[in-house]
Structure formats: structure tokens, C-alpha cells
Amino acid sequence: MTEWRRLVLYALTDALAHNHLLVGTIAAYLQREELDPELLRRYLQSPHPDRYISREAVQHLDGLTGARAEGSPEPTWTEVGRHIARDLR
């Protein structure tokens, strides 16, 4: 039971982190598309969209959309997003 609990809780925190990245990536995309800031706050159910739009979410979006990251080396999440976008083509 102890091992099961450890694995399940580890998986739940991973799922939570992945979900947070997904929400942040979508929110960053909507922000770039100039969605009304008040509407974005309502969709996120938060007065502070930056709570979700992390640096990692923006890097992920850059990779998904083919935007170039400033400087090198390429941030990890930009590379992950770029690989996802490439595999979907």
C-alpha cells in the first residue's frame, strides 16, 4: 500500500504540473491573440493571469508556434513545443 500511495501521489503531482503548463500555454496564446484581458481573467477564474502564464508556458508556446527564443541555447520547453509541433505535421 505504501508503494502504491507513493506512486499515485507522484503521478498526481506530475499531472497537476502538466495541467498547469497546458493552461498557461493556452492562456499565453490567447494573450498573444489579444483576447480581452478581462475575458482571459474570467476564463482562468483568476484576477492574475500571470499566475498561469509562466516563463515555461511562454517557452512552450514559442516552440509550438515556431517563434524564435532570444539567445541560445534554446530553452527546454521551447524545444519540447517545437518537437510536438513538428510531429503533428
Side-chain angles (χ1 to χ4, degrees), residues 1-88:
M1 187 63 165
T2 303
E3 182 67 13
W4 178 84
R5 210 174 310 157
R6 183 186 69 77
L7 290 172
V8 167
L9 291 175
Y10 181 75
L12 288 175
T13 57
D14 282 354
L16 180 61
H18 183 79
N19 192 46
H20 192 82
L21 177 67
L22 176 63
V23 169
T25 302
I26 293 169
Y29 173 77
L30 292 173
Q31 196 175 57
R32 282 188 187 173
E33 292 296 310
E34 299 179 1
L35 180 73
D36 177 51
E38 182 57 34
L39 189 56
L40 182 58
R41 283 191 286 276
R42 276 194 288 149
Y43 283 158
L44 292 174
Q45 299 176 358
S46 173
H48 306 290
D50 290 341
R51 174 180 174 197
Y52 295 98
I53 304 172
S54 64
R55 177 175 43 87
E56 290 83 4
V58 171
Q59 291 171 352
H60 192 231
L61 178 61
D62 287 344
L64 288 169
T65 59
R68 290 285 175 201
E70 293 181 22
S72 62
E74 184 175 65
T76 300
W77 285 111
T78 302
E79 183 178 353
V80 169
R82 188 170 42 77
H83 283 283
I84 292 169
R86 184 194 66 211
D87 292 345
L88 291 174

